């Protein structure tokens, strides 16, 4: 479960959300830059402020974090603290539209950080609504200058996203010139600023801030730096459980590094998933961040020619194949030399970087240099991408690269979902386990990782889970996603049948088939055979059974020869017969008998004979069916004894055939024997006894012995009502039989 907001690593590069000790502990790859900045400050103590600094690096590189480190060192070092005071503007300072706005903002900061100097509160109150910019400048600039002369303390003004202030907010170049003049004059102010890239205000020799700053470029972290960043955060949180496994995690962390390109903020977002598994919080923060930086990236795209913009968008959405020049040219429907020229230009202008293709060592793979830019492009090309963040999909693919890892994770997540809510909350609080929403989100993202069959199976499971919760809309979404995947015929059967029936009615069936499908794909022969047997034993008369039949028949040949395969084939035969699939049922029935005879298992042979005989009887081939039934009866009598329930089944089957061929006296004897065996075996009130009573009653009715038949029918009705309840189909059958008899005895009112 995600910890309190103040300790969330998503905010590590935002001022005010972490303490100095925490920031120092997790700082990686910035020691030299920080020391250079501090050395400049130390050398300038007691001198007129100069060496204004500008740190340039892409979004998420840690510019805000670096400013916080400088601020921490000034606060902790007595000499620096006496010589300097930091006035830090908000990271997103949208109110700075003129030089006067800058001064007013600085006054507001001084009011807050210097409560003992009442003049700043008085000046701010007086000037906050002043419309004349000249009055603001004439009052505040001298006040700031006078404070410097009185205290000798240099004011370090920290401004972030300076490019936005200069290029988008302060439109009047005279205001920008006045701002430069303010810092160049003897006002005791030093400017330390950040920007995501070089921008016109500092590169154009005709503009005021040209050659004003000492510029330092912040590089992305190395692979070792990224891993060290994660390790230090784990140390800070005392996550010994993960630290102990760091060596095993190393290949997966390196894959994450390749995905993020060494962006500290992206790395820390992924840290949240590794340590706290908070998918929902990462998504929330990430979407907020992308919304904030959208105007910046829109401007960057508008600065490029159309063909270069097209190249960047194409690379951003190519998340399913190597991004070689040839592949990029194919996606863009352009000739490779033309695309190669565009790639070179974008690489030179720092939009792209390349690496050797590990598969052939001859071609290059191109990636967008800035991780956030890559993700922003991918999400903006298609609205559909906003359903799942490409960034998080890439994470799950990188962190769980093998199916064994994914299945282990899925099993653990499903186990969490199966817990009672109170138990879940208690465990999450004690072990920092993710909450239910995070678990569902993780399973959702994992359903997009792997081969098509693997993804389809997971989407079916999620569809069943959502249907069980009553969320039919979400279940339908997963089924639709599963339908879009290329899977084998068995998987296609499951997907189509799941989509054509109310899912909650078939959740158990579906889970059984998916588990069996998994066992087959993963090569677990014993688990596969056991699961097939369970499915066969549970077959029921439903339309859904068509899918189960197709599933079982497709897999039967994979079982080794023997009784297990024969039993399963016999169950398929019986269900095909019940579903009037005559041709298929006969084929399976004859094959079952043939395989049963090869085993030499007499009871199994009898079972196969009975099933084939029932099919022949159903298709009106009674002469072929009778000898099979008599042989089955003889075998079971010999194997089990004359009073065994299986013998009663054989007697009943043969009796029904004799009834159908009008040999009623012989049929009656067999039915009464079957009834007696079942009453002795199961008890007088068992549903099987009700079946035998009904069969005998129908025969008595056929011989016009209605007075004998009626009590048998009423007894069968009472047994079924007691066993199944008044609304069961068996009860309806019993009522119908009794009603027909009552009509035959002219008791129409009672029959109705």
């Amino acid at each position: 479960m995600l910890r309190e907001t103040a300790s969330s690593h998503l905010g590590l590069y935002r001022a005010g959300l972490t303490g100095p000790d925490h920031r120092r502990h997790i700082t990686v790859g910035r020691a030299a830059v920080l020391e250079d900045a501090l050395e400049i400050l130390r050398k300038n103590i007691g001198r007129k402020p100069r060496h204004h600094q500008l740190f340039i690096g892409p979004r998420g590189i840690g510019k805000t974090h670096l400013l916080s480190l400088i601020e921490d060192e000034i606060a902790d070092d007595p000499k620096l603290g006496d010589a300097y005071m930091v006035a830090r503007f908000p990271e997103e300072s949208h109110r700075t539209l003129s030089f006067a706005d800058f001064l007013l903002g600085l006054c507001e900061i001084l009011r807050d950080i210097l409560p003992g100097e009442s003049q700043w509160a008085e000046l701010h109150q007086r000037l906050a609504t002043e419309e004349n910019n000249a009055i603001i400048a004439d009052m505040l600039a001298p006040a700031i200058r006078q404070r410097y002369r009185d205290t000798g303390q240099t004011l370090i003004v920290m401004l972030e996203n300076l490019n936005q202030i200069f290029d988008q907010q302060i439109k009047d170049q005279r205001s920008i010139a006045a701002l430069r003049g303010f810092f160049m004059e003897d006002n005791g102010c030093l400017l330390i600023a950040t920007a995501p890239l070089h921008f016109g205000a500092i590169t154009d020799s005709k503009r005021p801030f040209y050659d004003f700053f000492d510029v330092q470029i912040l590089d992305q972290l190395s692979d070792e730096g990224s891993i060290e960043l994660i390790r230090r955060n784990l140390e800070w949180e005392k996550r010994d459980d993960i630290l102990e496994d760091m060596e095993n995690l190393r290949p997966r962390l390196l894959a994450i590094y390749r995905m993020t390109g060494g962006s500290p903020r992206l790395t820390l977002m992924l840290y949240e998933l590794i340590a706290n598994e908070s998918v929902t919080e990462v998504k929330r923060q990430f979407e907020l961040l992308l919304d904030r930086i959208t105007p910046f990236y829109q401007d960057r795209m508008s600065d490029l020619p159309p063909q270069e913009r097209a190249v960047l968008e194409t690379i951003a959405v190519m998340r399913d194949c190597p991004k070689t020049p040839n592949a990029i040219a194919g996606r863009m429907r352009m000739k490779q030399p033309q695309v190669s020229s565009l790639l070179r230009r974008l690489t030179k202008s720092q939009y792209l970087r390349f690496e050797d293709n590990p598969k052939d060592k001859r071609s290059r793979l191109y990636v967008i240099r800035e991780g956030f830019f890559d993700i922003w492009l991918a999400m903006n090309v298609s609205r559909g991408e906003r359903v799942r963040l490409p960034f998080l999909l890439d994470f799950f693919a990188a962190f769980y690269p093998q199916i064994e890892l994914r299945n282990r994770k899925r099993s653990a997540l499903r186990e969490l979902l199966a817990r009672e809510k109170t138990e879940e909350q208690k465990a999450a609080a004690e072990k920092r386990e993710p909450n239910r929403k995070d678990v569902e989100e993780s399973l959702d993202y994992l359903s997009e990782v792997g081969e098509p069959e693997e993804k389809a199976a997971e989407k079916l499971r999620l569809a069943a889970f959502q249907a069980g919760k009553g969320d039919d809309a979400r279940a339908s979404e997963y089924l639709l996603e599963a339908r879009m995947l290329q899977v084998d015929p068995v998987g296609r059967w499951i997907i189509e049948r799941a989509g054509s029936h109310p899912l909650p009615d078939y959740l158990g069936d579906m889970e059984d088939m998916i588990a069996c499908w998994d066992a087959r794909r993963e090569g677990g022969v014993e688990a596969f055979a056991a699961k097939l047997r369970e499915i066969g034993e549970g077959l029921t008369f439903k339309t859904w059974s068509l899918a189960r039949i197709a599933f079982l028949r497709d897999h039967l040949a994979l079982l080794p020869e023997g009784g297990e395969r024969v039993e399963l084939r016999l169950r398929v035969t019986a269900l095909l017969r019940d579903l009037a699939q005559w041709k298929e049922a006969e084929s399976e029935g004859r094959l079952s008998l043939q395989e049963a005879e090869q085993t030499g298992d007499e009871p199994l042979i009898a079972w196969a004979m009975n099933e084939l005989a029932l099919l022949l009887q159903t298709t009106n081939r009674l002469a072929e069916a009778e000898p099979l039934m008599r042989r089955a009866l003889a075998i079971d009598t010999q194997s089990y004894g004359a009073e065994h329930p299986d013998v009663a089944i054989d007697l009943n089957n043969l009796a029904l055939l004799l009834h159908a061929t009008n040999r009623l006296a012989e049929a009656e004897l067999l039915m009464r024997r079957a009834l007696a065996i079942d009453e002795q075996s199961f008890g007088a009130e068992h549903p099987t006894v009700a079946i035998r009573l009904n069969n005998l009653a129908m025969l008595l009715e056929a011989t016009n012995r209605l007075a004998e038949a009626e009590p048998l029918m009423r007894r069968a009705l009472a047994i079924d009502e007691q066993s199944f309840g008044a609304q069961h189909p068996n009860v309806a059958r019993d009522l119908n039989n009794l009603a027909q008899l009552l009509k035959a005895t002219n008791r129409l009112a009672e029959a109705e």
Side-chain angles (χ1 to χ4, degrees), residues 339-524:
V339 169
S340 295
S341 176
L342 293 169
L343 291 171
R344 283 194 295 272
R345 290 210 297 267
L346 287 166
T347 302
K348 186 177 180 180
S349 57
Q350 300 292 302
Y351 280 91
L352 298 178
R353 61 180 173 84
F354 63 82
E355 57 191 30
D356 292 334
N357 187 349
K359 291 189 176 180
D360 61 19
K361 302 297 183 182
R362 296 188 302 274
S363 62
R364 290 175 171 177
L365 299 177
Y366 283 85
V367 296
I368 294 169
R369 180 178 292 273
E370 187 179 341
F372 280 121
F373 194 22
D374 180 22
I375 298 160
W376 179 83
L377 281 167
M379 293 184 66
N380 278 275
V381 169
S382 167
R383 288 187 178 183
E385 292 287 356
R386 282 199 176 271
V387 176
R388 296 183 180 95
L389 294 177
F391 168 65
L392 293 185
L393 287 174
D394 291 346
F395 164 79
F396 280 98
F399 204 70
Y400 302 103
Q402 288 89 33
I403 188 171
E404 294 81 7
L405 290 172
R406 294 192 290 273
N407 284 344
R408 197 180 309 142
K409 185 62 181 175
R410 289 167 180 144
S411 295
L413 291 169
R414 281 195 284 269
E415 184 181 334
L416 288 174
L417 282 181
R419 290 179 177 172
E420 292 293 332
K421 199 160 188 180
T422 53
E423 182 186 354
E424 173 210 347
Q425 290 168 341
K426 181 179 178 182
E430 292 176 354
K431 300 180 181 179
R432 304 182 193 178
E433 289 179 349
N435 60 34
R436 188 169 291 267
K437 187 174 181 182
D438 280 322
V439 171
E440 290 185 32
E441 289 267 19
S442 294
L443 285 169
D444 175 73
Y445 275 91
L446 281 169
S447 77
E448 281 291 302
V449 182
E451 295 301 316
E453 286 84 1
E454 179 188 350
K455 292 196 286 188
E458 293 311 311
K459 290 181 186 299
L460 284 170
R461 284 192 172 99
L462 286 169
F465 173 75
Q466 295 296 340
K469 285 172 55 181
D471 192 343
D472 293 339
R474 194 77 183 97
S476 297
E477 289 174 10
Y478 281 120
L479 287 172
L480 181 60
E481 289 178 355
R483 286 195 187 102
M484 301 297 290
L485 297 167
Q486 295 295 322
V487 297
D488 60 34
V490 176
R492 181 61 50 197
W493 256 105
I494 298 174
I495 293 166
E496 294 303 325
R497 290 295 165 178
S500 62
H501 295 282
L503 275 168
D505 292 348
Y506 306 103
L507 298 185
D509 288 352
M510 183 188 296
E511 184 58 40
D512 286 344
M513 282 191 283
I514 295 171
C516 196
W517 189 22
D518 284 343
R520 175 186 173 182
R521 289 186 293 106
E522 295 167 12

Side-chain angles (χ1 to χ4, degrees), residues 9 12-13 28 30 58-63 65 219-221 226 229 233 260-271 372:
H9 293 80
L12 278 176
Y13 289 141
V28 174
R30 298 291 179 256
R59 300 280 175 162
I61 199 66
K63 300 184 295 296
H65 183 69
D219 293 325
Q220 305 279 20
L221 296 178
S226 293
L229 177 59
N233 278 289
T260 62
S263 165
R265 185 173 287 184
L266 288 177
T267 301
L268 285 173
M269 283 188 168
L270 295 178
Y271 169 84
F372 280 121

Side-chain angles (χ1 to χ4, degrees), residues 239-274:
R239 293 305 304 268
D240 295 337
D241 55 330
I242 304 177
L243 282 167
E244 290 171 0
D245 200 36
M246 277 294 284
E247 195 56 38
N248 293 328
L249 288 177
R250 185 178 176 79
R252 292 150 75 180
L253 296 176
L254 286 172
I256 289 172
Y257 166 75
R258 288 191 291 273
M259 186 186 95
T260 62
S263 165
R265 185 173 287 184
L266 288 177
T267 301
L268 285 173
M269 283 188 168
L270 295 178
Y271 169 84
E272 289 290 342
L273 295 176
I274 296 167

Side-chain angles (χ1 to χ4, degrees), residues 88 389 406 462 544 553 570 631 669 713:
R88 187 168 184 175
L389 294 177
R406 294 192 290 273
L462 286 169
W544 173 254
R553 293 181 72 186
L570 285 168
R631 281 185 59 196
L669 289 174
M713 289 184 181

